[in-house]
Amino acid sequence: KLDRLIHERLRLGILSALAVNPSLTFSELKKLLDSTDGNLSVHARKLEEAGYITCTKSFSGRMPLTEYSITKTGRKALERYLDHMEALIKAMKG
């Protein structure tokens, strides 16, 4: 069954970016995914609530710093999603 949480473009982008990086800041994700602050926040929170990513807030000097990382659960969910999509592609190609 297709994971509807991951199927949304921005959430898939967040998980994919975090799967190949140990962590990314909010600003890095925003730039990489060409997203607005609000849109990225909403989708990142959904992934965090599902246990797919973690969010760590700290300060860099006096500036707030938000960093995201993929969890083991998130990595497994992404792998299942990609396997499912690969199977659909193979089935379509016949």
Side-chain angles (χ1 to χ4, degrees):
K1 189 173 180 181
L2 189 64
D3 187 332
R4 303 288 300 167
L5 183 68
I6 296 175
H7 194 63
E8 201 287 327
R9 183 194 70 82
L10 191 56
R11 291 189 289 252
L12 177 59
I14 293 168
L15 282 177
S16 298
L18 293 174
V20 295
N21 291 284
S23 68
L24 290 169
T25 66
F26 183 88
S27 297
E28 291 168 332
L29 277 172
K30 180 181 164 188
K31 183 177 179 181
L32 181 68
L33 301 172
D34 191 28
S35 177
T36 64
D37 286 0
N39 206 14
L40 181 58
S41 292
V42 166
H43 290 292
R45 183 164 292 128
K46 287 182 187 263
L47 291 170
E48 187 180 7
E49 288 170 356
Y52 289 179
I53 65 173
T54 58
C55 174
T56 306
K57 295 185 182 254
S58 62
F59 284 90
S60 177
R62 292 178 181 244
M63 297 295 294
L65 181 67
T66 303
E67 290 186 284
Y68 296 98
S69 299
I70 194 168
T71 64
K72 287 180 183 179
T73 300
R75 190 171 299 279
K76 286 180 184 178
L78 178 60
E79 288 172 5
R80 278 192 311 274
Y81 175 84
L82 294 175
D83 287 345
H84 187 99
M85 292 304 290
E86 197 173 306
L88 287 173
I89 291 167
K90 286 180 183 177
M92 293 298 292
K93 288 185 176 181

Short mmCIF file of all heavy atoms in Angstrom, two decimals, residues 2-67:
data_model
loop_
_atom_site.label_atom_id
_atom_site.label_comp_id
_atom_site.label_asym_id
_atom_site.label_seq_id
_atom_site.Cartn_x
_atom_site.Cartn_y
_atom_site.Cartn_z
N LEU A 2 0.53 2.18 -0.85
CA LEU A 2 1.31 3.41 -1.01
C LEU A 2 1.18 4.30 0.23
O LEU A 2 0.07 4.54 0.71
CB LEU A 2 0.80 4.16 -2.25
CG LEU A 2 1.61 5.35 -2.72
CD1 LEU A 2 3.00 4.89 -3.17
CD2 LEU A 2 0.91 6.04 -3.88
N ASP A 3 2.29 4.77 0.76
CA ASP A 3 2.31 5.65 1.93
C ASP A 3 1.89 7.05 1.49
O ASP A 3 2.67 7.78 0.89
CB ASP A 3 3.71 5.66 2.56
CG ASP A 3 3.77 6.40 3.87
OD1 ASP A 3 2.96 7.33 4.09
OD2 ASP A 3 4.64 6.06 4.69
N ARG A 4 0.65 7.42 1.77
CA ARG A 4 0.10 8.71 1.33
C ARG A 4 0.85 9.89 1.97
O ARG A 4 0.90 10.96 1.38
CB ARG A 4 -1.39 8.80 1.67
CG ARG A 4 -2.23 7.68 1.08
CD ARG A 4 -2.41 7.76 -0.39
NE ARG A 4 -3.09 9.01 -0.76
CZ ARG A 4 -3.16 9.46 -1.99
NH1 ARG A 4 -2.62 8.79 -2.97
NH2 ARG A 4 -3.77 10.58 -2.25
N LEU A 5 1.41 9.68 3.14
CA LEU A 5 2.15 10.75 3.80
C LEU A 5 3.39 11.14 3.00
O LEU A 5 3.70 12.31 2.84
CB LEU A 5 2.55 10.32 5.22
CG LEU A 5 3.27 11.37 6.05
CD1 LEU A 5 2.32 12.52 6.39
CD2 LEU A 5 3.80 10.76 7.32
N ILE A 6 4.07 10.15 2.46
CA ILE A 6 5.29 10.41 1.69
C ILE A 6 4.98 10.83 0.27
O ILE A 6 5.76 11.53 -0.37
CB ILE A 6 6.19 9.15 1.68
CG1 ILE A 6 6.65 8.81 3.09
CG2 ILE A 6 7.40 9.34 0.78
CD1 ILE A 6 7.43 7.52 3.19
N HIS A 7 3.83 10.43 -0.25
CA HIS A 7 3.51 10.65 -1.66
C HIS A 7 3.43 12.12 -2.06
O HIS A 7 3.61 12.45 -3.22
CB HIS A 7 2.20 9.92 -2.01
CG HIS A 7 1.96 9.79 -3.47
ND1 HIS A 7 2.80 9.08 -4.31
CD2 HIS A 7 0.98 10.29 -4.26
CE1 HIS A 7 2.34 9.14 -5.54
NE2 HIS A 7 1.23 9.88 -5.54
N GLU A 8 3.22 13.02 -1.12
CA GLU A 8 3.17 14.45 -1.42
C GLU A 8 4.56 14.91 -1.82
O GLU A 8 5.56 14.56 -1.18
CB GLU A 8 2.66 15.20 -0.18
CG GLU A 8 2.10 16.57 -0.45
CD GLU A 8 3.14 17.62 -0.77
OE1 GLU A 8 4.28 17.57 -0.26
OE2 GLU A 8 2.80 18.51 -1.56
N ARG A 9 4.66 15.73 -2.87
CA ARG A 9 5.94 16.14 -3.47
C ARG A 9 6.93 16.72 -2.47
O ARG A 9 8.09 16.30 -2.41
CB ARG A 9 5.69 17.15 -4.59
CG ARG A 9 6.98 17.56 -5.29
CD ARG A 9 6.79 18.79 -6.17
NE ARG A 9 6.56 20.00 -5.42
CZ ARG A 9 7.54 20.74 -4.86
NH1 ARG A 9 8.78 20.37 -4.95
NH2 ARG A 9 7.23 21.84 -4.21
N LEU A 10 6.51 17.67 -1.66
CA LEU A 10 7.45 18.32 -0.75
C LEU A 10 7.92 17.37 0.36
O LEU A 10 9.10 17.36 0.71
CB LEU A 10 6.83 19.58 -0.14
CG LEU A 10 7.79 20.49 0.62
CD1 LEU A 10 8.98 20.91 -0.24
CD2 LEU A 10 7.06 21.71 1.13
N ARG A 11 7.01 16.54 0.88
CA ARG A 11 7.41 15.58 1.91
C ARG A 11 8.37 14.53 1.35
O ARG A 11 9.34 14.14 2.01
CB ARG A 11 6.19 14.94 2.56
CG ARG A 11 5.41 15.96 3.39
CD ARG A 11 4.33 15.33 4.21
NE ARG A 11 3.22 14.84 3.43
CZ ARG A 11 2.02 15.40 3.39
NH1 ARG A 11 1.77 16.48 4.10
NH2 ARG A 11 1.06 14.87 2.67
N LEU A 12 8.14 14.09 0.12
CA LEU A 12 9.06 13.16 -0.53
C LEU A 12 10.42 13.83 -0.71
O LEU A 12 11.47 13.22 -0.49
CB LEU A 12 8.50 12.70 -1.88
CG LEU A 12 9.38 11.78 -2.71
CD1 LEU A 12 9.73 10.50 -1.95
CD2 LEU A 12 8.69 11.45 -4.03
N GLY A 13 10.41 15.11 -1.08
CA GLY A 13 11.66 15.86 -1.23
C GLY A 13 12.42 15.99 0.06
O GLY A 13 13.65 15.83 0.10
N ILE A 14 11.72 16.27 1.15
CA ILE A 14 12.36 16.39 2.46
C ILE A 14 13.02 15.07 2.85
O ILE A 14 14.20 15.04 3.22
CB ILE A 14 11.34 16.82 3.54
CG1 ILE A 14 10.84 18.24 3.29
CG2 ILE A 14 11.94 16.70 4.94
CD1 ILE A 14 9.62 18.64 4.14
N LEU A 15 12.27 13.99 2.76
CA LEU A 15 12.82 12.68 3.13
C LEU A 15 13.99 12.28 2.23
O LEU A 15 15.00 11.76 2.71
CB LEU A 15 11.74 11.60 3.07
CG LEU A 15 10.77 11.57 4.24
CD1 LEU A 15 9.71 10.49 4.02
CD2 LEU A 15 11.48 11.32 5.56
N SER A 16 13.87 12.52 0.94
CA SER A 16 14.94 12.18 0.00
C SER A 16 16.21 12.96 0.29
O SER A 16 17.31 12.40 0.29
CB SER A 16 14.49 12.44 -1.44
OG SER A 16 13.39 11.64 -1.78
N ALA A 17 16.06 14.25 0.57
CA ALA A 17 17.23 15.09 0.88
C ALA A 17 17.89 14.64 2.18
O ALA A 17 19.12 14.57 2.27
CB ALA A 17 16.80 16.55 0.98
N LEU A 18 17.07 14.29 3.17
CA LEU A 18 17.63 13.87 4.46
C LEU A 18 18.21 12.46 4.39
O LEU A 18 19.08 12.11 5.19
CB LEU A 18 16.57 13.96 5.56
CG LEU A 18 16.13 15.39 5.90
CD1 LEU A 18 14.98 15.36 6.89
CD2 LEU A 18 17.29 16.21 6.43
N ALA A 19 17.77 11.66 3.44
CA ALA A 19 18.30 10.30 3.30
C ALA A 19 19.75 10.31 2.81
O ALA A 19 20.49 9.36 3.08
CB ALA A 19 17.43 9.49 2.34
N VAL A 20 20.15 11.37 2.14
CA VAL A 20 21.52 11.43 1.61
C VAL A 20 22.39 12.45 2.33
O VAL A 20 23.53 12.69 1.94
CB VAL A 20 21.52 11.72 0.08
CG1 VAL A 20 20.88 10.56 -0.67
CG2 VAL A 20 20.84 13.02 -0.25
N ASN A 21 21.85 13.06 3.39
CA ASN A 21 22.61 14.01 4.21
C ASN A 21 22.39 13.66 5.68
O ASN A 21 21.26 13.33 6.07
CB ASN A 21 22.11 15.44 3.97
CG ASN A 21 22.46 15.96 2.60
OD1 ASN A 21 23.59 16.31 2.34
ND2 ASN A 21 21.47 15.99 1.70
N PRO A 22 23.42 13.76 6.51
CA PRO A 22 23.25 13.44 7.93
C PRO A 22 22.20 14.34 8.59
O PRO A 22 21.42 13.90 9.42
CB PRO A 22 24.62 13.68 8.54
CG PRO A 22 25.57 13.88 7.42
CD PRO A 22 24.78 14.14 6.18
N SER A 23 22.17 15.61 8.19
CA SER A 23 21.16 16.55 8.66
C SER A 23 21.18 17.76 7.73
O SER A 23 22.17 18.00 7.04
CB SER A 23 21.41 16.99 10.11
OG SER A 23 22.57 17.79 10.19
N LEU A 24 20.08 18.50 7.73
CA LEU A 24 19.99 19.73 6.96
C LEU A 24 19.25 20.76 7.80
O LEU A 24 18.34 20.41 8.55
CB LEU A 24 19.23 19.52 5.64
CG LEU A 24 19.94 18.69 4.57
CD1 LEU A 24 18.98 18.33 3.44
CD2 LEU A 24 21.15 19.44 4.02
N THR A 25 19.64 22.01 7.66
CA THR A 25 18.95 23.08 8.37
C THR A 25 17.67 23.44 7.63
O THR A 25 17.49 23.10 6.45
CB THR A 25 19.82 24.35 8.49
OG1 THR A 25 20.03 24.88 7.18
CG2 THR A 25 21.15 24.05 9.17
N PHE A 26 16.81 24.15 8.31
CA PHE A 26 15.57 24.63 7.71
C PHE A 26 15.90 25.45 6.46
O PHE A 26 15.29 25.25 5.41
CB PHE A 26 14.80 25.49 8.72
CG PHE A 26 13.48 25.96 8.22
CD1 PHE A 26 12.34 25.19 8.37
CD2 PHE A 26 13.36 27.20 7.58
CE1 PHE A 26 11.11 25.63 7.90
CE2 PHE A 26 12.15 27.64 7.11
CZ PHE A 26 11.01 26.86 7.27
N SER A 27 16.88 26.33 6.56
CA SER A 27 17.25 27.19 5.43
C SER A 27 17.78 26.37 4.25
O SER A 27 17.47 26.67 3.10
CB SER A 27 18.31 28.21 5.85
OG SER A 27 17.79 29.07 6.83
N GLU A 28 18.58 25.35 4.54
CA GLU A 28 19.11 24.49 3.47
C GLU A 28 17.98 23.75 2.76
O GLU A 28 17.96 23.68 1.53
CB GLU A 28 20.13 23.50 4.04
CG GLU A 28 21.41 24.15 4.49
CD GLU A 28 22.31 23.23 5.30
OE1 GLU A 28 21.81 22.29 5.96
OE2 GLU A 28 23.54 23.48 5.29
N LEU A 29 17.05 23.19 3.54
CA LEU A 29 15.91 22.49 2.93
C LEU A 29 15.04 23.45 2.12
O LEU A 29 14.60 23.12 1.02
CB LEU A 29 15.06 21.82 4.01
CG LEU A 29 15.53 20.46 4.50
CD1 LEU A 29 14.71 20.01 5.70
CD2 LEU A 29 15.46 19.42 3.40
N LYS A 30 14.80 24.61 2.67
CA LYS A 30 13.97 25.61 1.99
C LYS A 30 14.57 25.96 0.63
O LYS A 30 13.86 26.00 -0.38
CB LYS A 30 13.86 26.85 2.87
CG LYS A 30 13.03 27.95 2.26
CD LYS A 30 12.99 29.16 3.18
CE LYS A 30 12.50 30.36 2.42
NZ LYS A 30 12.60 31.59 3.18
N LYS A 31 15.86 26.19 0.59
CA LYS A 31 16.54 26.55 -0.66
C LYS A 31 16.57 25.35 -1.62
O LYS A 31 16.25 25.49 -2.80
CB LYS A 31 17.96 27.02 -0.36
CG LYS A 31 18.72 27.48 -1.58
CD LYS A 31 20.09 28.02 -1.22
CE LYS A 31 20.83 28.45 -2.47
NZ LYS A 31 22.17 28.94 -2.16
N LEU A 32 16.92 24.20 -1.11
CA LEU A 32 17.02 22.99 -1.93
C LEU A 32 15.69 22.62 -2.58
O LEU A 32 15.64 22.24 -3.76
CB LEU A 32 17.52 21.82 -1.06
CG LEU A 32 17.72 20.48 -1.74
CD1 LEU A 32 18.88 20.55 -2.73
CD2 LEU A 32 18.00 19.41 -0.71
N LEU A 33 14.61 22.76 -1.83
CA LEU A 33 13.28 22.35 -2.30
C LEU A 33 12.47 23.52 -2.87
O LEU A 33 11.34 23.33 -3.29
CB LEU A 33 12.51 21.68 -1.17
CG LEU A 33 13.19 20.44 -0.58
CD1 LEU A 33 12.47 19.97 0.66
CD2 LEU A 33 13.30 19.35 -1.62
N ASP A 34 13.06 24.72 -2.88
CA ASP A 34 12.40 25.92 -3.40
C ASP A 34 11.01 26.08 -2.79
O ASP A 34 10.00 26.13 -3.48
CB ASP A 34 12.32 25.85 -4.94
CG ASP A 34 11.91 27.17 -5.56
OD1 ASP A 34 12.19 28.22 -4.95
OD2 ASP A 34 11.28 27.15 -6.64
N SER A 35 11.00 26.13 -1.47
CA SER A 35 9.75 26.17 -0.71
C SER A 35 9.63 27.48 0.07
O SER A 35 10.62 28.17 0.30
CB SER A 35 9.72 24.99 0.26
OG SER A 35 8.57 25.03 1.06
N THR A 36 8.43 27.78 0.50
CA THR A 36 8.21 28.91 1.41
C THR A 36 8.40 28.43 2.84
O THR A 36 8.34 27.23 3.11
CB THR A 36 6.79 29.48 1.25
OG1 THR A 36 5.85 28.47 1.65
CG2 THR A 36 6.52 29.94 -0.17
N ASP A 37 8.59 29.37 3.75
CA ASP A 37 8.74 29.02 5.16
C ASP A 37 7.53 28.24 5.67
O ASP A 37 7.68 27.19 6.29
CB ASP A 37 8.89 30.29 6.02
CG ASP A 37 10.24 30.96 5.89
OD1 ASP A 37 11.09 30.46 5.13
OD2 ASP A 37 10.44 32.00 6.55
N GLY A 38 6.34 28.77 5.41
CA GLY A 38 5.12 28.15 5.92
C GLY A 38 4.89 26.76 5.36
O GLY A 38 4.52 25.84 6.10
N ASN A 39 5.08 26.61 4.07
CA ASN A 39 4.86 25.31 3.43
C ASN A 39 5.84 24.27 3.97
O ASN A 39 5.44 23.15 4.32
CB ASN A 39 5.01 25.46 1.91
CG ASN A 39 4.23 24.44 1.14
OD1 ASN A 39 3.38 23.75 1.67
ND2 ASN A 39 4.53 24.35 -0.14
N LEU A 40 7.11 24.63 4.07
CA LEU A 40 8.11 23.70 4.59
C LEU A 40 7.81 23.33 6.04
O LEU A 40 7.88 22.17 6.42
CB LEU A 40 9.51 24.29 4.46
CG LEU A 40 10.65 23.40 4.93
CD1 LEU A 40 10.69 22.07 4.20
CD2 LEU A 40 11.99 24.13 4.77
N SER A 41 7.43 24.31 6.84
CA SER A 41 7.12 24.06 8.25
C SER A 41 5.98 23.06 8.41
O SER A 41 6.07 22.13 9.21
CB SER A 41 6.73 25.36 8.96
OG SER A 41 7.82 26.22 9.06
N VAL A 42 4.91 23.26 7.65
CA VAL A 42 3.74 22.39 7.76
C VAL A 42 4.10 20.95 7.38
O VAL A 42 3.77 20.00 8.10
CB VAL A 42 2.59 22.91 6.86
CG1 VAL A 42 1.51 21.87 6.68
CG2 VAL A 42 2.02 24.19 7.44
N HIS A 43 4.80 20.78 6.27
CA HIS A 43 5.12 19.43 5.81
C HIS A 43 6.17 18.75 6.68
O HIS A 43 6.08 17.55 6.94
CB HIS A 43 5.54 19.46 4.34
CG HIS A 43 4.40 19.77 3.43
ND1 HIS A 43 3.34 18.91 3.24
CD2 HIS A 43 4.12 20.87 2.69
CE1 HIS A 43 2.48 19.45 2.40
NE2 HIS A 43 2.92 20.65 2.06
N ALA A 44 7.14 19.51 7.16
CA ALA A 44 8.15 18.94 8.06
C ALA A 44 7.48 18.49 9.36
O ALA A 44 7.81 17.42 9.90
CB ALA A 44 9.24 19.96 8.35
N ARG A 45 6.53 19.26 9.85
CA ARG A 45 5.84 18.89 11.09
C ARG A 45 5.07 17.59 10.92
O ARG A 45 5.06 16.74 11.81
CB ARG A 45 4.90 20.01 11.54
CG ARG A 45 4.23 19.68 12.87
CD ARG A 45 3.62 20.87 13.56
NE ARG A 45 4.68 21.78 13.99
CZ ARG A 45 4.71 23.08 13.70
NH1 ARG A 45 3.75 23.64 13.01
NH2 ARG A 45 5.69 23.84 14.12
N LYS A 46 4.43 17.40 9.78
CA LYS A 46 3.70 16.16 9.52
C LYS A 46 4.64 14.96 9.54
O LYS A 46 4.33 13.92 10.10
CB LYS A 46 2.96 16.23 8.19
CG LYS A 46 1.75 17.14 8.23
CD LYS A 46 1.03 17.15 6.90
CE LYS A 46 -0.06 18.17 6.88
NZ LYS A 46 -1.36 17.65 7.18
N LEU A 47 5.82 15.12 8.93
CA LEU A 47 6.80 14.04 8.93
C LEU A 47 7.34 13.79 10.34
O LEU A 47 7.58 12.65 10.73
CB LEU A 47 7.95 14.37 7.97
CG LEU A 47 7.58 14.36 6.49
CD1 LEU A 47 8.73 14.93 5.66
CD2 LEU A 47 7.23 12.96 6.02
N GLU A 48 7.52 14.86 11.09
CA GLU A 48 8.00 14.73 12.47
C GLU A 48 6.95 14.02 13.34
O GLU A 48 7.29 13.13 14.13
CB GLU A 48 8.31 16.12 13.03
CG GLU A 48 8.97 16.09 14.38
CD GLU A 48 9.27 17.47 14.93
OE1 GLU A 48 8.86 18.48 14.32
OE2 GLU A 48 9.91 17.52 15.98
N GLU A 49 5.68 14.38 13.19
CA GLU A 49 4.61 13.74 13.95
C GLU A 49 4.50 12.25 13.63
O GLU A 49 4.13 11.45 14.49
CB GLU A 49 3.28 14.44 13.67
CG GLU A 49 3.18 15.82 14.30
CD GLU A 49 1.98 16.62 13.83
OE1 GLU A 49 1.23 16.16 12.94
OE2 GLU A 49 1.79 17.74 14.36
N ALA A 50 4.84 11.87 12.41
CA ALA A 50 4.79 10.47 12.00
C ALA A 50 6.04 9.70 12.47
O ALA A 50 6.10 8.49 12.35
CB ALA A 50 4.68 10.36 10.48
N GLY A 51 7.02 10.42 13.01
CA GLY A 51 8.25 9.78 13.47
C GLY A 51 9.25 9.53 12.35
O GLY A 51 10.21 8.78 12.53
N TYR A 52 9.05 10.18 11.19
CA TYR A 52 9.93 9.97 10.04
C TYR A 52 11.18 10.85 10.09
O TYR A 52 12.20 10.51 9.52
CB TYR A 52 9.19 10.23 8.74
CG TYR A 52 8.15 9.19 8.37
CD1 TYR A 52 7.40 9.31 7.23
CD2 TYR A 52 7.92 8.07 9.17
CE1 TYR A 52 6.45 8.36 6.88
CE2 TYR A 52 6.97 7.11 8.84
CZ TYR A 52 6.24 7.27 7.69
OH TYR A 52 5.30 6.33 7.34
N ILE A 53 11.06 12.01 10.74
CA ILE A 53 12.21 12.90 10.89
C ILE A 53 12.26 13.44 12.31
O ILE A 53 11.26 13.40 13.03
CB ILE A 53 12.19 14.08 9.88
CG1 ILE A 53 11.01 15.02 10.13
CG2 ILE A 53 12.20 13.58 8.45
CD1 ILE A 53 11.04 16.30 9.29
N THR A 54 13.42 13.94 12.70
CA THR A 54 13.55 14.63 13.99
C THR A 54 13.90 16.08 13.70
O THR A 54 14.51 16.41 12.68
CB THR A 54 14.65 14.02 14.88
OG1 THR A 54 15.89 14.07 14.18
CG2 THR A 54 14.32 12.59 15.25
N CYS A 55 13.52 16.93 14.62
CA CYS A 55 13.78 18.36 14.52
C CYS A 55 14.51 18.79 15.78
O CYS A 55 14.05 18.54 16.89
CB CYS A 55 12.46 19.12 14.39
SG CYS A 55 12.62 20.90 14.43
N THR A 56 15.67 19.43 15.60
CA THR A 56 16.46 19.91 16.73
C THR A 56 16.59 21.42 16.60
O THR A 56 17.03 21.92 15.56
CB THR A 56 17.86 19.27 16.73
OG1 THR A 56 17.72 17.85 16.70
CG2 THR A 56 18.66 19.70 17.95
N LYS A 57 16.20 22.12 17.65
CA LYS A 57 16.29 23.58 17.65
C LYS A 57 17.40 24.02 18.60
O LYS A 57 17.49 23.52 19.72
CB LYS A 57 14.96 24.21 18.04
CG LYS A 57 13.87 23.91 17.02
CD LYS A 57 12.59 24.63 17.35
CE LYS A 57 11.54 24.27 16.35
NZ LYS A 57 11.24 25.31 15.41
N SER A 58 18.23 24.94 18.11
CA SER A 58 19.33 25.46 18.92
C SER A 58 19.61 26.89 18.45
O SER A 58 18.80 27.48 17.73
CB SER A 58 20.57 24.57 18.78
OG SER A 58 21.02 24.56 17.43
N PHE A 59 20.75 27.40 18.84
CA PHE A 59 21.16 28.73 18.41
C PHE A 59 22.55 28.66 17.82
O PHE A 59 23.41 27.91 18.28
CB PHE A 59 21.15 29.71 19.58
CG PHE A 59 19.76 30.14 19.98
CD1 PHE A 59 19.06 29.43 20.93
CD2 PHE A 59 19.17 31.24 19.39
CE1 PHE A 59 17.78 29.81 21.30
CE2 PHE A 59 17.89 31.63 19.74
CZ PHE A 59 17.20 30.92 20.70
N SER A 60 22.76 29.45 16.78
CA SER A 60 24.09 29.66 16.20
C SER A 60 24.40 31.13 16.47
O SER A 60 23.92 32.01 15.76
CB SER A 60 24.07 29.36 14.70
OG SER A 60 25.33 29.62 14.13
N GLY A 61 25.16 31.35 17.53
CA GLY A 61 25.32 32.72 18.01
C GLY A 61 23.99 33.17 18.59
O GLY A 61 23.45 32.53 19.47
N ARG A 62 23.44 34.23 18.05
CA ARG A 62 22.13 34.72 18.52
C ARG A 62 21.01 34.33 17.57
O ARG A 62 19.86 34.68 17.78
CB ARG A 62 22.16 36.24 18.66
CG ARG A 62 23.07 36.69 19.77
CD ARG A 62 23.09 38.21 19.82
NE ARG A 62 23.98 38.65 20.87
CZ ARG A 62 23.59 39.32 21.93
NH1 ARG A 62 22.33 39.63 22.08
NH2 ARG A 62 24.46 39.69 22.83
N MET A 63 21.34 33.60 16.53
CA MET A 63 20.34 33.23 15.52
C MET A 63 19.79 31.83 15.80
O MET A 63 20.55 30.90 16.06
CB MET A 63 20.98 33.23 14.12
CG MET A 63 21.49 34.59 13.66
SD MET A 63 20.18 35.80 13.44
CE MET A 63 19.31 35.08 12.09
N PRO A 64 18.46 31.67 15.74
CA PRO A 64 17.87 30.34 15.91
C PRO A 64 18.30 29.41 14.77
O PRO A 64 18.45 29.85 13.62
CB PRO A 64 16.37 30.58 15.86
CG PRO A 64 16.15 32.03 15.73
CD PRO A 64 17.46 32.69 15.50
N LEU A 65 18.52 28.15 15.10
CA LEU A 65 18.95 27.17 14.11
C LEU A 65 18.08 25.93 14.26
O LEU A 65 18.02 25.33 15.34
CB LEU A 65 20.42 26.81 14.33
CG LEU A 65 21.04 25.80 13.37
CD1 LEU A 65 21.12 26.40 11.96
CD2 LEU A 65 22.42 25.40 13.84
N THR A 66 17.39 25.56 13.19
CA THR A 66 16.54 24.37 13.18
C THR A 66 17.16 23.36 12.24
O THR A 66 17.41 23.67 11.07
CB THR A 66 15.11 24.73 12.72
OG1 THR A 66 14.58 25.73 13.58
CG2 THR A 66 14.22 23.51 12.74
N GLU A 67 17.44 22.17 12.75
CA GLU A 67 18.04 21.11 11.94
C GLU A 67 17.14 19.89 11.92
O GLU A 67 16.53 19.55 12.94
CB GLU A 67 19.41 20.72 12.49
CG GLU A 67 20.47 21.78 12.29
CD GLU A 67 21.83 21.29 12.73
OE1 GLU A 67 22.06 21.24 13.96
OE2 GLU A 67 22.64 20.96 11.85
#
